[in-house]
Amino acid sequence: MQNVALIELGGFLVAILLLVLNQFRISLQQLPEERTLRKILMILLVLIVLDVIAVADLSKLSFIKPEAKFIIGLVNCAGSILVPYLWNLFIHYKVYGSAYYFRKYFVPITLPLVMGILFCITRSYKLSLGYSTLTTTNVWYITNIISIFYLIMASIISFRSARKNTTKTGKRLEMYFCWIMVIPVTAIILQTIAIKNWFPIVCPVFALVFLHIYVSQQNMLITLDYLTGLNNERRLNTYLRDKTADLTSGQRLFLVVLTLDNINHIRRKFGKTKVDEILVAFADFLRTMMPNDNTFLAHHKKYSFAIVLEKKSWEETEAFCNSLITGSTKSPIQEIIPWPITFSINFSEFGMPGVNNVIELLDDTQNNCFKPATALNEANTAEDS
């Protein structure tokens, strides 16, 4: 009965994984971390198929030659180590933004994987005599130890990064990456304890966990900007569409767009990392300046932020914009680099002549300047060079 249940679960997971992998091919931007997640799901797809075959008991399938059984056992063993290994690579992309440290420490990181695969090769010949003997060999224990090692290492990296992260969204995401792997680690331990009652649960659990990670990533991409933790442009458009369709009686709808000045000069002088730091700090500053109600904040364009306000009069919006200008001069963002951090302010109001929908509201901000961009003081910047 349990074998039938596993076969049914395996078939269901295979179908879901195929759909997700197809979605990767169609819609994702193919960033390095997305390609890594895709590889993980592909390996899990193969491992689940092998688990289903194992339930049928390879020793009873006379048409499968010993060489094929050897390869199946080796792939199953190596794949179960490779998934946690690639999870480490995924975490490096997410936490550090690149695989720099992964490549820097490639040898010590990869050594357990290589040792495990070599051990599998030397012992997998015995598995070719009968797939079920996998549970009685040291291969099983070695595989579990290496897998748990990689999972714990990735969780430590995520936890350490989460403690340093200054954004709520980034901290929450990295803590999610840290604790989500408790589930497969628990499954591995339970599987080891229940060795005599062979029922492979590790790969199905891994598949369910990574499917949950995939869905979480997609939800984040739909509504949030990962760097700043603010609403993204898609969420802004949805909010504006809803608000323009059902504006509160007696209220006027204003859109204020703030664009950081001289970012290209800052990047050339201080590097991309400082630019990202400024964007994050500016987002945090705007959060502290938001009124408690009837406001919406989003990362609009690359170096622009949008604020949607419901106010009774233009004077209220004007006072709010002035408070942003005054507050920014005393904000911690001014301590990031020796140059002053300034921004321009443009605005538009829904319902004004020629501003009757979301597109016109967004476009009209270019026609109304509240505070122009501030040019760099060339004399000051020359002193810093």
Side-chain angles (χ1 to χ4, degrees):
M1 184 67 182
Q2 65 181 19
N3 290 353
V4 174
L6 180 63
I7 291 173
E8 291 178 348
L9 175 61
F12 172 75
L13 290 175
V14 165
I16 297 297
L17 287 170
L18 287 172
L19 290 173
V20 170
L21 288 170
N22 182 63
Q23 190 63 26
F24 265 96
R25 182 180 63 83
I26 293 173
S27 62
L28 289 185
Q29 301 174 7
Q30 296 301 302
L31 297 173
E33 61 266 33
E34 293 168 347
R35 292 196 298 268
T36 303
L37 184 57
R38 183 170 180 264
K39 291 174 183 176
I40 292 173
L41 295 178
M42 290 175 67
I43 294 171
L44 286 172
L45 177 64
V46 173
L47 294 180
I48 290 173
V49 171
L50 293 180
D51 274 349
V52 172
I53 294 174
V55 171
D57 193 348
L58 288 180
S59 63
K60 297 179 182 178
L61 302 180
S62 58
F63 61 88
I64 298 182
K65 296 182 179 181
E67 293 81 1
K69 296 177 183 179
F70 170 79
I71 293 174
I72 290 174
L74 180 59
V75 170
N76 188 285
C77 176
S80 61
I81 308 174
L82 192 56
V83 167
Y85 174 81
L86 289 175
W87 172 245
N88 266 267
L89 179 58
F90 177 88
I91 289 298
H92 275 76
Y93 280 126
K94 278 297 187 182
V95 169
Y96 300 122
S98 71
Y100 171 77
Y101 291 105
F102 192 90
R103 291 191 295 268
K104 183 178 180 180
Y105 301 105
F106 179 79
V107 172
I109 291 175
T110 308
L111 186 60
L113 172 67
V114 174
M115 292 178 62
I117 293 177
L118 289 175
F119 190 82
C120 289
I121 293 174
T122 59
R123 299 298 302 272
S124 289
Y125 178 74
K126 293 183 178 180
L127 306 182
S128 65
L129 302 177
Y131 191 83
S132 60
T133 60
L134 175 64
T135 59
T136 63
T137 65
N138 290 332
V139 175
W140 177 247
Y141 299 104
I142 295 296
T143 301
N144 288 346
I145 291 171
I146 296 175
S147 296
I148 291 174
F149 164 75
Y150 279 128
L151 294 175
I152 291 176
M153 184 168 69
S155 293
I156 291 174
I157 293 172
S158 297
F159 181 75
R160 292 178 61 184
S161 179
R163 292 184 62 185
K164 300 176 183 179
N165 203 312
T166 58
T167 67
K168 292 182 179 179
T169 302
K171 185 184 293 290
R172 185 168 61 248
L173 180 65
E174 287 166 354
M175 289 303 294
Y176 166 77
F177 288 148
C178 173
W179 293 110
I180 191 68
M181 285 300 136
V182 170
I183 299 174
V185 168
T186 303
I188 292 172
I189 294 173
L190 290 176
Q191 185 75 85
T192 306
I193 293 174
I195 271 180
K196 293 182 179 179
N197 299 319
W198 174 251
F199 185 79
I201 63 170
V202 175
C203 286
V205 169
F206 261 119
L208 291 172
V209 167
F210 279 106
L211 286 172
H212 189 275
I213 291 170
Y214 168 78
V215 172
S216 299
Q217 292 291 286
Q218 294 307 295
N219 288 338
M220 185 186 73
L221 290 173
I222 289 173
T223 60
L224 293 180
D225 173 65
Y226 177 72
L227 177 64
T228 62
L230 299 180
N231 299 293
N232 62 15
E233 189 170 5
R234 179 180 297 182
R235 182 72 183 94
L236 171 65
N237 291 333
T238 301
Y239 183 85
L240 287 174
R241 186 175 63 248
D242 293 342
K243 275 298 178 183
T244 54
D246 187 25
L247 186 60
T248 303
S249 177
Q251 295 284 69
R252 296 165 63 180
L253 187 68
F254 295 93
L255 173 63
V256 177
V257 175
L258 301 90
T259 303
L260 289 166
D261 300 331
N262 309 306
I263 289 296
N264 290 331
H265 293 287
I266 292 173
R267 183 194 290 105
R268 285 194 293 270
K269 174 66 178 178
F270 301 100
K272 182 180 182 301
T273 300
K274 281 297 181 183
V275 171
D276 289 344
E277 188 177 345
I278 291 170
L279 287 170
V280 171
F282 193 66
D284 291 340
F285 160 70
L286 292 178
R287 284 192 188 94
T288 63
M289 298 298 294
M290 291 301 102
N292 294 329
D293 55 0
N294 295 329
T295 57
F296 180 89
L297 174 62
H299 190 183
H300 176 38
K301 297 290 185 184
K302 201 168 184 180
Y303 306 123
S304 297
F305 297 81
I307 303 172
V308 184
L309 303 166
E310 284 190 67
K311 299 293 184 181
K312 293 182 178 179
S313 65
W314 159 248
E315 285 72 24
E316 290 181 289
T317 301
E318 183 180 28
F320 173 73
C321 292
N322 284 324
S323 70
L324 293 178
I325 297 171
T326 303
S328 68
T329 61
K330 305 174 183 178
S331 169
I333 59 175
Q334 303 299 343
E335 301 173 4
I336 298 175
I337 60 174
W339 297 357
I341 303 300
T342 59
F343 53 91
S344 62
I345 302 179
N346 290 68
F347 68 94
S348 62
E349 181 182 355
F350 180 72
M352 297 298 286
V355 186
N356 300 307
N357 56 49
V358 173
I359 295 177
E360 292 173 349
L361 181 65
L362 290 166
D363 290 342
D364 193 52
T365 57
Q366 301 175 16
N367 302 324
N368 304 289
C369 180
F370 181 85
K371 177 184 179 295
T374 302
L376 279 176
N377 185 324
E378 295 183 3
N380 290 341
T381 56
E383 293 176 0
D384 293 328
S385 300

